Amino acid sequence: MKLTSIGKMRLKLSKITLLLLFISSNFLTAREMTLEGIIEFARLNSPTVKMAKFEYYSSVCQYKQFKAEYLPQLYITGSAPGFDNSIIKIQDSNGISFHRQSTSYSNAALTISQRFSPTGATISLSSALSRLDVFGMPQYNNPWAASPILVSLSQPLFRFNSMRWDNKLYDMRYQNARKRYNEMMEEIAIQVADKFYSLYMVAMSVNNSSFNLEVNDTMYKISKGRYSVGKIAENELLQNELGVLNSEMELDKAQINYKLQADELKLLIGMDILDDLTIIPDTNIKIVEVDYKKALNSALENCSNIMDYKIQKTTAELNVDRAKSNNDFDANLSANFGLNQKANVIPDAYKSLLDQERVDITFTIPLFQWNKSTYEVEAALADKYRVEADIDYKMKQFEQSIKYQTATFQLLIRQVIAAEKSYNIAKRRFEVAKNRYVIGNITMDVFFTAQNEKDQSFNSYISALKNYWMGYYSLRRA
């Protein structure tokens, strides 16, 4: 059996492909990218990163919106005009009587208010002007009323202070949004490292398959010559031809897979699918010793999961405080002081001002609620203890995870070094086996065994290199 014309054509095309890859890797320097370069490119252009940036920006806007509510608020309120025509109750020197009355009214007030989260109080300063016209009742001859200044205070007493808790929780959520964004930047590095070395592995598989096809074709030609002079059996010749066919199929699969992996990497980092991309792997691993305690302290400070636990614990404490406050003595102090006057014309409404004061305390005292308050507080406390137990367990898992990752990273370093040595040995053994087959010292089975071991050790080396970089960026994320 002979090498088919299609096989020869594929061999020539594979050589052309390798030549083009070589040319592109040496002259298209603008498109060459290392792992770190692609990661930086992804952090600027990846669709995932863009979504993370918008999510973070939304959190920032929500935080600023909340904080703005605790800054002085200036606003105008009023109604103009208003009309009322109804029967009302009037009390005078003759007693109480009902009269039909038509009124027209309008008012406006300029107010500045300030909320205070530590106590839950609200203080406001306002200036108001109003007009009231009563039709058919000339005795009401002072339509204008002015209150140039009015200071008001509303202070809850013994009530659940939602302002203080909300302020604390929003601060924590804002910090957590920043931590999640930083983690997303590290998460994209892990994804890029995965796709990067998957592409590198396939690219090397294309080169290796092409190399194997060329070697097996040479071995097949040698075998045909030996078979023609009766030095080998037909079975060995067929085995050689089968090796060529298998190499052709492996090259086809590798080339298709390369295109797929390249497109997936471009899609991940936000590069146009039609752009050329040549990757430059970094085989110089960083041999570093990672201190577990230092890594744990850094993780406790920067990891969003830790802040999530704090938010859960604070929310549980909030619910307990709310449950206790809802069932205790509740009161509210309202007070205002200001100056006012009435007149027929607006200027006179601001002369000879009279003082106005008002103070009242409203309260609610629960007397009997069928133990509703007790059960509500106990339920909140039970949920708080549940959250604390869950957080304690998760914290131990978290510490164990950091300990495992630091130990695993050191193992990954050793695995890369060992895999590289194994590949170099297998590659040298393959060269020896090839030379020995050429001079007829070994059988084709031994040669194929050495070739397979070379391929397997190479794949193991690239896998170890990929696992190292993914472990490196995973440890950074943690």
Side-chain angles (χ1 to χ4, degrees):
M1 299 178 67
K2 299 181 180 180
L3 182 61
T4 63
S5 59
I6 296 177
K8 292 179 180 179
M9 185 180 297
R10 287 178 173 173
L11 179 59
K12 291 179 180 179
L13 289 174
S14 65
K15 291 180 179 179
I16 294 173
T17 301
L18 287 175
L19 179 61
L20 292 175
L21 287 173
F22 175 78
I23 292 174
S24 64
S25 64
N26 283 276
F27 295 99
L28 297 178
T29 55
R31 304 183 189 278
E32 291 180 348
M33 300 184 76
T34 62
L35 175 59
E36 292 185 356
I38 288 186
I39 289 174
E40 290 305 315
F41 185 91
R43 285 173 175 166
L44 295 175
N45 301 284
S46 172
T48 304
V49 170
K50 290 179 181 179
M51 289 187 289
K53 287 181 179 178
F54 286 124
E55 181 180 354
Y56 174 65
Y57 181 67
S58 175
S59 300
V60 172
C61 291
Q62 291 176 16
Y63 178 73
K64 290 183 177 180
Q65 174 192 354
F66 172 78
K67 286 298 184 181
E69 294 179 1
Y70 289 87
L71 297 176
Q73 306 291 313
L74 180 64
Y75 51 90
I76 295 178
T77 58
S79 63
F83 179 76
D84 178 60
N85 182 23
S86 61
I87 296 176
I88 64 172
K89 180 174 66 175
I90 297 179
Q91 182 174 1
D92 54 22
S93 58
N94 297 322
I96 298 176
S97 59
F98 292 92
H99 298 271
R100 186 174 182 82
Q101 178 178 284
S102 297
T103 59
S104 174
Y105 53 87
S106 58
N107 59 76
L110 177 66
T111 304
I112 182 171
S113 65
Q114 174 68 60
R115 303 171 69 188
F116 293 92
S117 59
T119 64
T122 300
I123 296 178
S124 62
L125 175 65
S126 62
S127 178
L129 177 67
S130 62
R131 177 183 175 88
L132 177 65
D133 293 298
V134 182
F135 302 110
M137 303 183 72
Q139 65 270 29
Y140 296 104
N141 57 0
N142 297 118
W144 290 102
S147 179
I149 183 171
L150 180 66
V151 180
S152 301
L153 168 68
S154 177
Q155 173 63 64
L157 305 175
F158 314 110
R159 187 185 301 174
F160 172 72
N161 185 1
S162 62
M163 292 187 193
R164 179 172 65 88
W165 286 104
D166 289 344
N167 197 48
K168 185 176 182 179
L169 283 172
Y170 266 88
D171 285 341
M172 297 171 71
R173 289 168 184 158
Y174 175 64
Q175 296 176 29
N176 209 27
R178 296 177 59 186
K179 294 178 188 295
R180 283 197 301 269
Y181 177 74
N182 292 333
E183 287 178 346
M184 191 62 236
M185 295 302 100
E186 296 299 332
E187 185 66 34
I188 193 67
I190 299 173
Q191 297 175 16
V192 169
D194 183 12
K195 294 295 183 183
F196 182 93
Y197 277 98
S198 293
L199 177 61
Y200 177 57
M201 182 180 293
V202 176
M204 292 300 99
S205 179
V206 171
N207 291 343
N208 191 56
S209 297
S210 181
F211 173 75
N212 288 342
L213 177 58
E214 187 172 357
V215 170
N216 290 342
D217 181 57
T218 301
M219 296 296 104
Y220 177 63
K221 292 177 181 177
I222 295 173
S223 298
K224 285 197 298 182
R226 290 178 180 174
Y227 176 73
S228 63
V229 296
K231 288 186 176 181
I232 61 173
E234 183 180 7
N235 183 59
E236 186 168 341
L237 178 63
L238 295 174
Q239 190 176 11
N240 272 275
E241 186 174 12
L242 182 61
V244 173
L245 295 174
N246 288 336
S247 297
E248 289 178 0
M249 289 188 292
E250 289 297 325
L251 179 59
D252 287 342
K253 288 194 299 182
Q255 288 173 336
I256 293 174
N257 199 15
Y258 177 83
K259 181 66 170 61
L260 174 64
Q261 294 293 337
D263 289 347
E264 287 185 354
L265 178 58
K266 293 175 187 177
L267 183 63
L268 175 63
I269 66 177
M271 179 180 286
D272 194 302
I273 295 295
L274 299 178
D275 288 347
D276 293 328
L277 174 62
T278 301
I279 60 174
I280 305 174
D282 187 359
T283 57
N284 298 319
I285 62 175
K286 301 176 182 180
I287 302 178
V288 293
E289 292 290 336
V290 182
D291 181 71
Y292 162 66
K293 291 185 178 180
K294 183 177 179 181
L296 178 60
N297 291 335
S298 180
L300 292 174
E301 181 180 354
N302 299 304
C303 185
S304 66
N305 287 345
I306 304 302
M307 185 59 69
D308 282 334
Y309 300 154
K310 292 180 180 179
I311 292 175
Q312 292 175 24
K313 186 175 181 180
T314 301
T315 303
E317 293 171 351
L318 175 155
N319 292 333
V320 172
D321 188 18
R322 179 190 286 118
K324 290 180 178 179
S325 299
N326 289 344
N327 296 284
D328 286 339
F329 173 76
D330 180 25
N332 187 81
L333 169 65
S334 297
N336 60 59
F337 171 81
L339 301 172
N340 61 6
Q341 185 54 277
K342 64 179 182 176
N344 285 325
V345 293
I346 293 178
D348 292 343
Y350 288 90
K351 297 178 181 179
S352 303
L353 297 173
L354 304 175
D355 62 300
Q356 61 171 332
E357 304 88 11
R358 179 178 178 178
V359 177
D360 62 12
I361 297 178
T362 60
F363 60 87
T364 302
I365 303 176
L367 296 178
F368 188 73
Q369 298 178 313
W370 302 96
N371 289 329
K372 170 181 172 293
S373 59
T374 302
Y375 296 140
E376 185 176 358
V377 173
E378 288 183 356
L381 285 171
D383 186 66
K384 176 176 176 289
Y385 298 147
R386 177 194 63 79
V387 170
E388 289 176 346
D390 182 56
I391 291 175
D392 182 64
Y393 176 68
K394 288 180 178 178
M395 283 297 299
K396 291 178 180 178
Q397 285 184 315
F398 180 79
E399 294 176 5
Q400 189 69 18
S401 173
I402 298 299
K403 185 176 181 180
Y404 171 77
Q405 288 191 58
T406 54
T408 301
F409 182 68
Q410 303 302 325
L411 176 62
L412 292 174
I413 294 175
R414 295 193 294 271
Q415 286 179 342
V416 172
I417 296 173
E420 184 179 15
K421 290 181 179 179
S422 298
Y423 172 58
N424 289 331
I425 292 172
K427 186 166 60 174
R428 177 57 184 160
R429 183 172 179 270
F430 169 74
E431 291 295 329
V432 172
K434 183 180 70 172
N435 294 333
R436 292 186 65 190
Y437 180 79
V438 171
I439 62 177
N441 286 347
I442 61 172
T443 64
M444 199 63 191
D445 288 338
V446 177
F447 169 77
F448 279 148
T449 299
Q451 188 179 60
N452 291 334
E453 289 178 353
K454 183 257 301 181
D455 294 344
Q456 291 174 4
S457 61
F458 173 76
N459 291 333
S460 297
Y461 169 59
I462 301 301
S463 295
L465 200 60
K466 173 183 176 180
N467 292 336
Y468 163 80
W469 284 109
M470 290 187 63
Y472 172 76
Y473 285 106
S474 294
L475 188 60
R476 279 183 40 153
R477 182 194 183 283

